[in-house]
Amino acid sequence: MTRDLEPVDHKVVHVPEGLAGERVDSALARLLGLSRTRASELVADGHVTLDGRAPAKSDRVEAGALLEASIPAPRVAMVVAHEVEGMRLVHEDDDIVVVDKPVGVAAHPSVGWDGPTVLDHLSGVGIRISTSGAAERRGIVHRLDVGTSGLMAVAKSEHAYTVLKQAFRDRVVEKTYHALVQGHPDPHTGTIDAPIARHPKHDFKFTVKAGGRDSITHYDTLEAHRFASLLTIKLETGRTHQIRVHMAALHHPCVGDLMYGADPTLAARVGLDRQWLHAKELGFTHPRTGDWVTFSSIYPDDLEAALEVVRSAD
C-alpha cells in the first residue's frame, strides 16, 4: 500500500558545461544528489521541465539549460498483514525466522509493487520481527528477486539484525543456488569476476560494466543435458540480479529468463514463465548461539517439472 504526499520541494538549476550532452535523468540525479532511478521517476511522472517543456528522460541537456523539478515527499510502502499462499516456515526461534519463499513474492513492500511480500506473511501469521532498518524493510538482512524462489532469513531480534547484516557485508554467509542454464558452460566449473552496474538503457536491468560494483560468482555443473545444464552456484557478493547477469554474460542465461536473453521457445517447451533459479541452501553463524546453522529447500513444482522435461530430452 502506498500513499502520495503533495510536492514539498521545488528546485531550479542551470546545467553546467560539465554536464552538457548528458541525459536529462542523469543530469538531474547528479545536480540534485538523487538516485538515477528516482530522477527517472520524476521525469516520467511529469515533475520535471527542461527550458519550460516536459522532456523525455533520454533527452540530452545543453549547457545553460534551465532544469526545474518539483520533488514530492517519498511515497511510503506499508506491510499488509496476510498469509501468503505457498510460503513455508523452515525455522523459527527467538532471533531469526527462515522462510522458503515462493515465486511471485517480494522480500518487502516497495513503491510500485502491490503484490505479496515475505513481511506481509510474517505479520499475517503473528511473527514479530526486528524494528531495525527502514520501516518497510524491518528485519530484512538479504533479499531474493520476486521471480526467484527459495530460502530467506529474516531477523526477529535487534541483536540478530545487527549481526546478520554484518555477516552479509563480510561475505561470511554461504548462499547456494541451483540454476538451470541454456547450453553448457565451458569450463564446466569456474568463477565469474565481473563488475555489475545498472543497464544504461533499461531502468530495471543490470549489466556487466567497467566501473560497476565488484561481483563474484562461483559455479559448478551438476548435470549436463542436451539443451541445458544444471549448475550449483555460490555467491561471494550479493548484487541485484547477479546470477542472472553473470550467466547471461557467459551466453548461458537461466532457462526462462527472457529479460536476460533466454530462448522463449525453450521456456515455452519446459513450461516456464520465470527464470529457473532457486536459493537451495543458506548457512551462517547463528547470531545468538554462535553455532553454524544450515537450511535447505526442495525445488518448487514448476522448476522440478521443467527440469524433468530437460532430462527427458536426452
Side-chain angles (χ1 to χ4, degrees), residues 117-164:
T117 72
V118 170
L119 294 188
D120 289 341
H121 180 78
L122 295 180
S123 182
V125 297
I127 295 177
R128 294 175 60 86
I129 57 175
S130 166
T131 58
S132 296
E136 71 276 13
R137 299 194 298 273
R138 288 176 177 171
I140 296 293
V141 293
H142 70 123
R143 296 177 292 180
L144 293 179
D145 294 344
V146 171
T148 300
S149 53
L151 297 170
M152 261 189 66
V154 181
K156 290 178 63 179
S157 69
E158 311 307 308
H159 173 73
Y161 181 85
T162 301
V163 172
L164 287 177

Side-chain angles (χ1 to χ4, degrees), residues 3 7 31 40 44 47 56 70-71 81 93 107 129 144 153 155 160 196 224 236 240 256-257 281 288 292:
R3 175 169 62 94
L31 286 168
S40 295
H47 294 302
S70 295
I71 306 175
D93 59 37
I129 57 175
L144 293 179
I196 291 177
E236 278 195 34
T240 302
D257 193 359
E281 295 183 354
R288 182 72 60 182
W292 183 261

Side-chain angles (χ1 to χ4, degrees), residues 270-287:
V270 301
L272 279 183
D273 56 8
R274 57 110 160 190
Q275 65 267 14
W276 204 114
L277 181 61
H278 186 67
K280 189 74 170 61
E281 295 183 354
L282 185 62
F284 52 86
T285 299
H286 192 282

Side-chain angles (χ1 to χ4, degrees), residues 54 58 68 97 119 129 195 202 208 226 244:
S58 60
E68 296 186 62
V97 58
L119 294 188
I129 57 175
H202 303 282
V208 168
R226 184 178 178 186
R244 301 166 65 190

Side-chain angles (χ1 to χ4, degrees), residues 178-180 220-224 228-232 276 299 307 311:
H178 283 187
L180 186 68
D220 190 15
T221 300
L222 291 175
E223 301 177 15
S229 301
L230 181 65
L231 309 182
T232 182
W276 204 114
Y299 301 149
L307 181 58
R311 286 168 172 163

